[in-house]
Each structure stands twice: as structure tokens, then as C-alpha cells.
Amino acid sequence: MAGPALAACPVMGQPARGFDYVQRADGSVVLSHHGRPVGTLRGDRAARFLAEVREDPQLVMARWTGNYRRGNERTARQHPRNRG
């Protein structure tokens, strides 16, 4: 039995935009989102981040900070517990 075609799979949402990073003189990297610091990477993690960030900077920064769309935000917002 074959699995569903790739075209039938739901598409993940786009990562949040507005990420930026600054590499400090000591080698650490400070990640920010809309001007607010969201994380600091040091040592090996900073080096791995810098090597990876060249691909798609916004997506990489969203993934490293954990701030990326999963596709279920609208469903979660409509849940009775979250209606407020």
C-alpha cells in the first residue's frame, strides 16, 4: 500500500519574520526577534548556528529559538479553553 502523495500533505506555515542576530567579539551570538533578545548561543552551538544560518536565515533563527509555525495555531485559538 503506497502512502499519500507529497502534494496531498499539508504545508507547514512560514516561520515568523523579524529575526536578527549579532555576533559578538567573544564569539557568542545573540538572537533577537523584533528587537528583543530571545537567546544567546556560545561555544560550539554558536559555531554550528553560524554555519547553518547561511541557508535561510529567518527559518534557521526561528527553528533555533523554537518560534516557528506548526500549522495548528488557528485550531488552538478556537478551543474553548483558549477563547478567553
Side-chain angles (χ1 to χ4, degrees):
M1 180 174 189
L6 287 178
C9 293
V11 178
M12 285 185 71
Q14 293 295 317
R17 297 292 175 199
F19 284 101
D20 196 15
Y21 72 94
V22 176
Q23 184 176 6
R24 292 183 174 169
D26 64 357
S28 65
V29 176
V30 177
L31 300 169
S32 62
H33 187 248
H34 294 293
R36 292 184 168 187
V38 293
T40 303
L41 306 172
R42 295 177 180 88
D44 285 344
R45 292 192 57 159
R48 285 192 332 223
F49 170 79
L50 291 170
E52 190 177 336
V53 78
R54 292 182 181 97
E55 298 168 14
D56 181 5
Q58 292 296 308
L59 177 62
V60 171
M61 286 184 275
R63 197 166 37 81
W64 276 75
T65 61
N67 184 8
Y68 54 94
R69 301 256 179 210
R70 294 165 186 85
N72 63 351
E73 287 83 4
R74 182 175 297 157
T75 305
R77 189 177 331 134
Q78 293 171 351
H79 191 277
R81 177 183 60 227
N82 298 329
R83 286 190 185 156

